[in-house]
């Protein structure tokens, strides 16, 4: 008999706020609802179904740019509905949270698309709204069009994107974990003191890309830092995932490859100071 500990399987629905995500063309089937992605009821009903089916989470992929041209332009993506139109998934989180009780709500957001101060504020607000059920899939960016959409001349070099991500999450961690003490929010009606000023701290971050004084504008949320996903596959990406992620995406063809990759991530995590698990 194996003495290995029994580990539960966790199930998440992998979706995107668009018509065609992974399997292309199915939106044309008469029974498909994927073309209803603009309809909030579509996502709320899906979330309720997932919770009824005991899923752990709904996970939204996302992109903020078009893929590389196909045969000279992007015509095929628009004609096929291939991840365009594509709506912001984070906007759905509050409605899904209101309609469910236990379902985790994860969404993808790139370091490219928002300043970390405002992003940290939005995550904390959503963590309050979901009562601690929000998760962030940290991504850099691999689409040249996305870079140009945010004012860059082209795609940032691969390892430089992860150096950027290191500082981005450093700022968010400081805001989430270091700005407010646990007991700073008093809401003392009798004394008329809402928060203890001495227990709220500026972070005074000065880095390569960001200067953020603080403090965080949101009081501590149930998780403070959201549950973190990451999908790094390169050397830099795996190191980043090992240092930050609580769940890592792996694309593996068989059990042996999955064991190899998970063992590699675990070794990197331990080297970065993470306590090993059995």
């Amino acid at each position: 008999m194996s003495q290995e500990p029994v580990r539960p399987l966790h199930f998440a629905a992998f979706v995107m706020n668009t018509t065609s995500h992974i399997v292309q063309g199915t939106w044309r089937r008469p029974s498909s609802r994927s073309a209803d992605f603009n309809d909030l009821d579509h996502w709320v009903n899906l979330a309720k179904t997932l919770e009824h089916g005991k899923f752990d989470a709904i996970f939204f992929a996302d992109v903020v740019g078009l893929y590389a041209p196909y045969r000279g332009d992007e015509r095929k993506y628009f004609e096929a509905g291939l991840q365009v139109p594509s709506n912001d998934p984070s906007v759905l989180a509050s409605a899904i949270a209101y309609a469910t009780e236990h379902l985790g709500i994860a969404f993808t957001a790139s370091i490219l698309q928002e300043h970390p101060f405002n992003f940290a504020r939005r995550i904390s607000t959503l963590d309050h709204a979901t009562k601690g059920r929000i998760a962030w899939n940290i991504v850099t960016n691999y689409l040249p069009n996305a870079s140009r959409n945010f004012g860059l001349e082209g795609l940032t070099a691969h390892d430089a994107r992860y150096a950027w991500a290191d500082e981005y999450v450093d700022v968010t961690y400081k805001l989430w974990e270091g700005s407010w003490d646990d007991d700073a929010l008093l809401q003392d009606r009798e004394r008329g003191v809402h928060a203890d000023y001495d227990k709220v701290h500026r972070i005074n971050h000065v880095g390569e890309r960001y200067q953020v004084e603080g403090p965080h504008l949101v009081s501590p949320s149930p998780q403070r830092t959201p549950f973190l996903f990451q999908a790094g596959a390169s050397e830099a990406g795996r190191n980043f995932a090992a240092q930050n992620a609580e769940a890592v995406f792996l694309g593996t063809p068989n059990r042996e490859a999955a064991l190899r990759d998970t063992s590699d991530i675990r070794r990197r995590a331990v080297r970065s100071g993470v306590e090993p698990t059995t």
Side-chain angles (χ1 to χ4, degrees):
M1 295 289 291
S2 173
Q3 298 301 309
E4 293 184 5
V6 176
R7 293 177 179 167
L9 286 172
H10 296 283
F11 293 91
F14 189 42
V15 298
M16 188 171 175
N17 196 356
T18 187
T19 295
S20 291
H21 176 204
I22 298 297
V23 182
Q24 302 304 320
T26 56
W27 62 273
R28 298 175 63 189
R29 296 178 62 89
S31 60
S32 174
R33 290 286 313 280
S34 62
D36 298 337
F37 71 97
N38 283 323
D39 185 351
L40 183 60
D41 288 337
H42 168 70
W43 294 110
V44 168
N45 291 334
L46 174 60
K48 289 179 177 179
T49 300
L50 293 172
E51 183 159 82
H52 182 72
K54 306 301 183 184
F55 272 63
D56 294 279
I58 182 169
F59 182 103
F60 285 92
D62 195 29
V63 292
V64 286
L66 301 175
Y67 289 95
Y70 173 73
R71 295 180 177 176
D73 59 29
E74 295 86 5
R75 176 185 297 274
K76 189 63 178 177
Y77 304 140
F78 287 86
E79 291 180 343
L82 199 163
Q83 298 189 11
V84 61
S86 178
N87 296 345
D88 184 343
S90 69
V91 176
L92 303 173
S94 292
I96 290 173
Y98 191 72
T100 58
E101 293 184 52
H102 309 292
L103 190 70
I105 306 162
F107 68 90
T108 299
S110 170
I111 59 172
L112 176 69
Q113 64 193 90
E114 190 170 4
H115 191 283
F117 180 84
N118 199 59
F119 182 73
R121 183 184 184 216
R122 185 152 54 93
I123 282 283
S124 294
T125 303
L126 287 171
D127 201 48
H128 279 300
T130 62
K131 296 181 172 63
R133 291 187 280 145
I134 204 71
W136 173 29
N137 178 34
I138 311 167
V139 295
T140 55
N141 170 55
Y142 62 95
L143 301 176
N145 174 250
S147 292
R148 293 191 292 270
N149 287 340
F150 289 90
L152 302 178
E153 292 184 1
L155 195 60
T156 305
H158 180 275
D159 286 4
R161 297 200 296 269
Y162 279 99
W164 181 353
D166 281 332
E167 185 180 357
Y168 193 99
V169 298
D170 185 34
V171 174
T172 60
Y173 290 156
K174 288 174 179 176
L175 291 165
W176 289 326
E177 299 292 342
S179 193
W180 287 68
D181 292 356
D182 287 337
D183 56 350
L185 185 65
L186 300 175
Q187 296 183 321
D188 188 329
R189 288 181 169 86
E190 290 188 6
R191 292 193 297 138
V193 179
H194 196 262
D196 186 338
Y197 177 76
D198 294 326
K199 294 182 178 181
V200 182
H201 316 287
R202 287 173 169 78
I203 66 168
N204 293 316
H205 175 89
V206 179
E208 193 76 21
R209 284 182 176 270
Y210 302 108
Q211 295 186 36
V212 181
E213 182 179 60
H216 194 32
L217 294 182
V218 186
S219 62
S221 67
Q223 294 183 103
R224 283 188 176 259
T225 295
F227 188 90
L228 300 175
F229 289 88
Q230 222 280 317
S234 65
E235 185 73 13
R238 289 193 177 202
N239 285 335
F240 180 83
Q243 292 166 10
N244 297 284
E246 294 163 281
V248 179
F249 285 92
L250 297 173
T252 55
N254 53 52
R255 186 175 185 275
E256 290 71 25
L259 179 61
R260 180 197 64 221
D261 289 348
T262 54
S263 297
D264 176 59
I265 292 289
R266 289 178 184 276
R267 283 193 297 270
R268 292 170 190 260
V270 171
R271 285 202 302 268
S272 69
V274 176
E275 289 289 330
T277 58
T278 57

